[in-house]
Amino acid sequence: MNILVIGSGGREHALCWKIKQNPKVKKLYCAPGNGGIAQLAECVSIGAEDIEGLLKFALSKKIDLTVVGPEASLVKGIVDVFVQKGLKIFGPSQEAAQLEGSKVYTKEFLHRRNIPTAVYKIFASAFEALEFLDKAQFPLVVKADGIAAGKGVYVCQDLKEAQSAIDDIIVKKIFGAAGDKVVIEECLQGQEASVLAICDGKHFFVLPSAQDHKRIFDDDLGPNTGGMGSYSPAPVVTAKVLDTVIARIIEPSVRGMYQEGIPFKGVLYAGLMLTNEGPFVLEFNTRFGDPETQSILPRLQSDLVEIMLAACDGRLNELKVRWDPRACVCVVITSGGYPGSYKSGFEITGLSEINDSDTIVFHAGTKNDGGTLVTAGGRVLGVTSLDKTLEAAIAKAYEAVGKINFEHMFFRRDIGQKALKIKV
Ligand code: AMP
Ligand code: GLY
């Protein structure tokens, strides 16, 4: 079997690492990949959004399964283009990817299907949005409709902040056409959690819960990032919470999309607020999370390729999926300065000193520079450890982090700590 993974982050390294465990995989390609992925797969320099280039490559190399990491190419319709040419590809169609690509689409879908989400209004003009805000109660949340690299959500404490959000999104158009419409919604209170499901259009199964850490500094301070670390399972998602999430959110969403003629295939990632009235949907993503995937896939005992093929073929109900009960923690190491500006090209040392079979170092922004591994991005590595308890997994991951070195390296020291504080 020949497999192509699209993307270049830690998530894609984790996908390649797991895919490679299937003995039927003859050739694994990754476009464009990174320095760590290059040790497992043949990296090809085609951009993740170059759909024509990727299609040509997949046809010429007789790719049996393509796995899409990032959302942009899904929203651009890569799945439809590949399927039309008879190629198997794991991910949602362009229309189904609207669940990530458009907050307006998602809010209207959730409302229509009676799935719990914050009360909202949609505006396409700054004038009407500002008029609404004059009479609104605070706090509230303003969201750009389209994809805005994770920056299009403003939690506003007062009128001034909300007016400035409308100005950014609709007037200044800092996210371009993603800001043609805005959603203004009620601000929910509670603990946040994510539940991911693998879907085949009709059937689904949920992955073990995971949490990421979005802010750059310890104690969730500082600006948002792509994710500074993750752990699985997330104790806040108890068996009871999970049952409710499945019954009130995941199942009705998969059924709703199916009934509306847009069957959802791929990963449905529900970002949730666990409120006093139960779980509410904050947003959907239509792909694996990064860095959640790094702490979920090491726990998967079943074969990922078989799962993804079954999802493509609509036969997930035939599978039994097994999970490692141990906890998994991923500590992300970044280039100092990230998520603002940072320098790259520093040599990374110490990786060969990590000799623990339950620790895996997933690469994100790394590249091989004439035989030397150097930094090449904001998030550089995801040091991931499994152990019997979350506490032990945290200790193991940080022990490995301590062996790694590069100039200006940075990491949070409290990954997983919030899970240890939760009493359930
Ligand atoms: P989203 O991209 O929609 O998940 O939003 C990004 C972050 O904004 C979430 O992880 C929450 O922290 C926050 N957020 C989004 N919507 C709401 C809401 N309705 N109430 C409170 N916080 C929210
Ligand atoms: N970890 C958040 C995301 O993948 O969008």
Side-chain angles (χ1 to χ4, degrees):
M1 223 178 339
N2 299 328
I3 299 193
L4 168 64
V5 173
I6 297 172
S8 60
R11 163 183 55 203
E12 286 76 19
H13 191 182
L15 285 165
C16 287
W17 170 82
K18 190 66 198 166
I19 287 168
K20 203 65 199 273
Q21 291 172 14
N22 180 313
K24 286 188 226 143
V25 175
K26 214 170 70 202
K27 196 80 196 161
L28 178 61
Y29 299 96
C30 187
N34 62 37
I37 293 174
Q39 294 163 17
L40 291 171
E42 185 177 327
C43 292
V44 284
S45 59
I46 307 173
E49 291 178 51
D50 177 3
I51 296 181
E52 277 310 308
L54 292 165
L55 176 68
K56 253 198 217 148
F57 179 82
L59 288 169
S60 74
K61 297 291 180 187
K62 299 194 167 37
I63 298 294
D64 299 291
L65 174 67
T66 299
V67 180
V68 188
E71 62 275 16
S73 38
L74 294 170
V75 172
K76 273 185 161 178
I78 189 170
V79 169
D80 309 64
V81 171
F82 272 51
V83 167
Q84 221 170 32
K85 293 285 181 193
L87 291 168
K88 238 172 228 187
I89 179 162
F90 179 76
S93 66
Q94 185 169 28
E95 211 175 349
Q98 287 298 295
L99 285 181
E100 174 155 6
S102 167
K103 303 226 185 257
V104 169
Y105 178 97
T106 302
K107 292 301 283 192
E108 289 177 337
F109 171 77
L110 293 168
H111 180 66
R112 195 160 64 236
R113 307 305 302 194
N114 198 21
I115 296 167
T117 191
V119 177
Y120 70 99
K121 277 197 175 297
I122 294 164
F123 297 96
S125 94
F127 180 82
E128 283 167 25
L130 292 169
E131 197 178 46
F132 170 82
L133 287 176
D134 276 337
K135 296 184 209 100
Q137 298 214 328
F138 290 86
L140 52 68
V141 184
V142 179
K143 299 182 175 185
D145 174 37
I147 288 187
K151 299 196 176 101
V153 175
Y154 295 70
V155 179
C156 306
Q157 299 303 329
D158 55 37
L159 178 63
K160 222 170 128 220
E161 283 181 22
Q163 286 168 333
S164 151
I166 296 293
D167 193 49
D168 277 0
I169 299 171
I170 303 196
V171 182
K172 292 203 189 104
K173 284 262 186 287
I174 67 170
F175 308 116
D180 286 349
K181 290 185 185 162
V182 291
V183 174
I184 300 182
E185 67 181 36
E186 160 202 18
C187 187
L188 300 170
Q189 308 295 332
Q191 289 263 10
E192 283 186 52
S194 310
V195 173
L196 284 74
I198 293 193
C199 312
D200 71 5
K202 232 175 166 173
H203 318 99
F204 67 89
F205 68 89
V206 291
L207 305 179
S209 59
Q211 282 297 100
D212 77 355
H213 298 63
K214 283 204 165 43
R215 306 284 181 149
I216 184 78
F217 299 125
D218 285 14
D219 299 321
D220 292 334
L221 297 174
N224 266 333
T225 69
M228 295 298 292
S230 64
Y231 55 88
S232 173
V236 65
V237 183
T238 60
K240 191 162 161 250
V241 168
L242 188 61
D243 283 349
T244 313
V245 171
I246 292 172
R248 295 282 287 125
I249 292 168
I250 305 289
E251 195 279 332
S253 297
V254 175
R255 181 162 37 90
M257 293 297 279
Y258 180 79
Q259 286 175 346
E260 295 185 14
I262 313 158
F264 188 94
K265 291 188 176 196
V267 178
L268 183 65
Y269 166 140
L272 307 166
M273 187 71 90
L274 307 179
T275 74
N276 287 338
E277 287 136 70
F280 279 54
V281 177
L282 292 177
E283 65 159 351
F284 280 131
N285 295 318
T286 59
R287 48 161 177 88
F288 284 105
D290 188 340
E292 291 92 329
T293 303
Q294 290 86 311
S295 59
I296 291 175
L297 288 185
R299 300 186 58 209
L300 176 60
Q301 288 172 330
S302 304
D303 186 83
L304 181 62
V305 175
E306 294 303 328
I307 292 170
M308 293 194 286
L309 288 173
C312 292
D313 299 342
R315 46 179 183 79
L316 273 185
N317 55 321
E318 294 171 11
L319 293 190
K320 261 233 143 359
V321 179
R322 285 175 299 108
W323 295 97
D324 188 329
R326 289 178 300 167
C328 189
V329 173
C330 168
V331 178
V332 171
I333 306 180
T334 69
S335 298
Y338 171 83
S341 61
Y342 56 83
K343 291 194 182 126
S344 290
F346 299 113
E347 182 178 359
I348 303 168
T349 57
L351 293 181
S352 58
E353 285 165 44
I354 303 169
N355 295 314
D356 178 83
S357 61
D358 286 327
T359 297
I360 317 141
V361 180
F362 294 120
H363 293 221
T366 72
K367 74 172 185 196
N368 189 324
D369 187 10
T372 306
L373 187 72
V374 298
T375 63
R379 290 190 290 175
V380 176
L381 300 167
V383 180
T384 307
S385 294
L386 285 156
D387 212 318
K388 278 207 187 78
T389 65
L390 196 59
E391 226 164 350
I394 292 169
K396 202 182 260 183
Y398 277 104
E399 194 189 321
V401 168
K403 296 184 174 158
I404 298 172
N405 201 19
F406 59 85
E407 227 173 292
H408 306 303
M409 78 179 240
F410 177 82
F411 55 90
R412 272 179 65 159
R413 289 169 195 276
D414 67 342
I415 299 303
Q417 292 299 326
K418 67 181 166 193
L420 296 180
K421 288 184 196 132
I422 285 174
K423 301 267 172 289
V424 290

